[in-house]
Amino acid sequence: MNVTVRGQTRHHRTVTFDSRNNQVLLVEQRLLPHEFKIIPTRNFRETASAISDMVVRGAGAIGATAAFGLAQGARAFRGSDLKKFSHHLTVVYQALKDARPTAVDPVNAMNDVRRAMMFGETVGEKQSIALAAAEEFSNEDVHHCKQIGMHGAKLIRNGMRILTHCNAGWLAFVDVGAATAPIYAAQAAGKKFHVFCDETRPRSQGATLTAWELAQQGVSHQIIADNAAGHLMQRGEIDLVIVGSDRTLGRTGEVANKIGTYTKAVLAKRHNIPFYVAIPLSTIDWKLKRGCDIPIEDRHEHEVLGAWGILSSPTSGVQSPKSGRRAYVRVANPTSGARNPGFDVTPAELITGIITPAGIFKPRELWRQRRELGFAS
Ligand code: MRU
């Protein structure tokens, strides 16, 4: 998407690859919305750390990062012994897979790359195929998001108030985003509407990333505290909910997404508000049979016990000597611990529809439509 920094507007993708230096280039999302910066990872271990430390986050973006990380690791191999190369590749794959467990996109993306590499006969051939396949995954992610926009924009009518959770915007993908794709497409079609961004504690991806994205694109929006959604729904102030997903089960239509999504789906059902999930095909898990088997990432308790931000005065905006600096502040009682599950699973019956690149389906229709939705074998 276009990013305007200090008056200069440029198009950026969240994840790209510098083939000359064998580096993955990432938007450093932990600094947003306060600073826009692209950083390189120099080897596959740094790429895996960038995923686990959430320099890059969001299902499609970590999928593309893992695909490029696998190509990066493959290209760093020296020699022509295919057996050693294959062992090396297993190590790289595992490191990138283990970086974050809930989203299925990294595994689907790396499996695409590995399948393509089978057509190479030498180490050199496999290395160049790996990069081409990672580029293809990345381009396909963008294409899928645009198609999601095309299908999803029909759901947005003039005057609507839309709720979204966490960040399933372009920062969570390579470009355009999933939950935001219908928003950007509706905006381009001249529709007028308003978006509420759930703050999304503990890491506040809604307040920091989605709000920044929407501000950059000139979309009317406000941040709400996570606990405010029920109140607004009860007062008739939310007409539509669109969220993303980290893993959607093709067999059952269950949706794993950022913690708090399930709560919003229950509330939406209670108030008869349509609840949609937007996903590219790489987010579908065709194997798992039950949502309760989705691995839910437990993250560090410091995310719940405090918060990151820029130092400034909340009321007067008066700058202190330390203001402007990114800092972590402890909020919670110093002797208390915390539990921090990163995701939850929303059952199919709470979901009105799944917006895919191939159209909008009822969650339980995914399995019947599996050929059209990229299920192989
Ligand atoms: O922990 P994150 O920021 O990687 O989680 C991302 C999400 O869960 C988002 O809600 C998003 O909808 C899924 S990624 C497109």
Side-chain angles (χ1 to χ4, degrees):
M1 297 293 286
N2 283 343
V3 176
T4 305
V5 182
R6 286 183 284 279
Q8 299 278 357
T9 303
R10 257 193 70 190
H11 181 265
H12 288 274
R13 281 186 171 194
T14 310
V15 185
T16 52
F17 193 78
D18 171 359
S19 60
R20 204 146 62 115
N21 296 308
N22 203 34
Q23 293 178 338
V24 185
L25 303 179
L26 300 168
V27 173
E28 210 325 350
Q29 299 195 29
R30 296 172 306 179
L31 301 180
L32 285 170
H34 310 291
E35 189 181 347
F36 184 82
K37 191 173 172 184
I38 311 273
I39 61 138
T41 61
R42 289 163 302 180
N43 55 56
F44 78 88
R45 291 205 187 278
E46 278 191 17
T47 304
S49 299
I51 294 173
S52 52
D53 297 343
M54 293 178 68
V55 168
V56 59
R57 33 64 54 205
I62 60 174
T65 305
F68 281 127
L70 191 65
Q72 178 185 41
R75 294 171 93 238
F77 181 84
R78 296 284 165 258
S80 55
D81 186 323
L82 280 170
K83 225 168 151 187
K84 284 188 184 150
F85 178 67
S86 163
H87 173 73
H88 167 74
L89 215 63
T90 308
V91 173
V92 177
Y93 179 92
Q94 205 55 45
L96 292 160
K97 178 173 183 275
D98 292 346
R100 290 197 76 190
T102 301
V104 76
D105 298 61
V107 168
N108 284 340
M110 289 195 292
N111 288 348
D112 281 2
V113 174
R114 286 211 302 199
R115 256 191 307 275
M117 287 171 81
M118 284 175 0
F119 292 99
E121 282 175 10
T122 64
V123 167
E125 277 175 19
K126 285 176 187 289
Q127 287 171 324
S128 27
I129 290 173
L131 182 53
E135 293 283 9
E136 198 177 318
F137 177 88
S138 163
N139 291 333
E140 192 167 79
D141 182 79
V142 181
H143 179 59
H144 282 182
C145 288
K146 286 183 182 162
Q147 286 176 305
I148 289 168
M150 195 181 78
H151 295 297
K154 296 175 201 140
L155 302 171
I156 300 177
R157 292 189 301 277
N158 268 323
M160 270 189 159
R161 289 131 323 159
I162 305 161
L163 177 72
T164 189
H165 189 67
C166 192
N167 173 263
W170 74 270
L171 292 165
F173 291 87
V174 176
D175 205 347
V176 183
T180 51
I183 290 171
Y184 295 141
Q187 183 194 36
K191 295 183 193 172
K192 300 270 177 271
F193 51 89
H194 186 75
V195 179
F196 289 114
C197 313
D198 274 343
E199 178 187 23
T200 321
R201 280 285 290 151
R203 286 191 72 106
S204 306
Q205 292 95 324
T208 58
L209 305 178
T210 306
W212 178 79
E213 273 194 31
L214 297 179
Q216 282 279 333
Q217 306 311 318
V219 175
S220 165
H221 69 282
Q222 281 168 310
I223 298 161
I224 58 168
D226 291 319
N227 295 331
H231 169 71
L232 293 182
M233 287 184 184
Q234 197 178 41
R235 296 278 167 114
E237 293 186 41
I238 291 174
D239 306 298
L240 173 68
V241 185
I242 312 181
V243 300
S245 169
D246 297 85
R247 187 187 298 237
T248 292
L249 300 197
R251 289 169 187 272
T252 66
E254 287 160 285
V255 165
N257 194 45
K258 180 53 57 194
I259 193 80
T261 302
Y262 170 56
T263 319
K264 301 301 145 68
V266 172
L267 283 167
K269 186 77 169 179
R270 156 97 186 162
H271 296 287
N272 282 321
I273 296 165
F275 185 95
Y276 284 90
V277 180
I279 53 163
L281 302 186
S282 57
T283 300
I284 305 179
D285 179 336
W286 294 110
K287 282 207 188 109
L288 274 191
K289 296 197 172 98
R290 303 180 317 168
C292 58
D293 292 333
I294 297 173
I296 299 295
E297 179 182 12
D298 262 312
R299 292 192 61 86
H300 199 282
E301 65 175 12
H302 67 225
E303 293 183 349
V304 173
L305 299 173
W308 287 267
I310 289 282
L311 295 172
S312 67
S313 158
T315 45
S316 63
V318 170
Q319 307 284 300
S320 78
K322 285 185 180 164
S323 64
R325 235 193 304 133
R326 186 174 182 270
Y328 173 83
V329 288
R330 171 86 185 199
V331 176
N333 172 47
T335 55
S336 301
R339 173 96 198 272
N340 188 14
F343 300 90
D344 57 28
V345 179
T346 299
E349 66 264 24
L350 298 181
I351 299 164
T352 312
I354 310 235
I355 313 168
T356 76
I360 304 178
F361 300 99
K362 290 275 169 215
R364 290 207 181 88
E365 281 175 350
L366 295 180
W367 183 245
R368 205 163 359 111
Q369 301 290 337
R370 61 191 179 279
R371 303 279 163 221
E372 207 183 331
L373 294 171
F375 173 83
S377 82

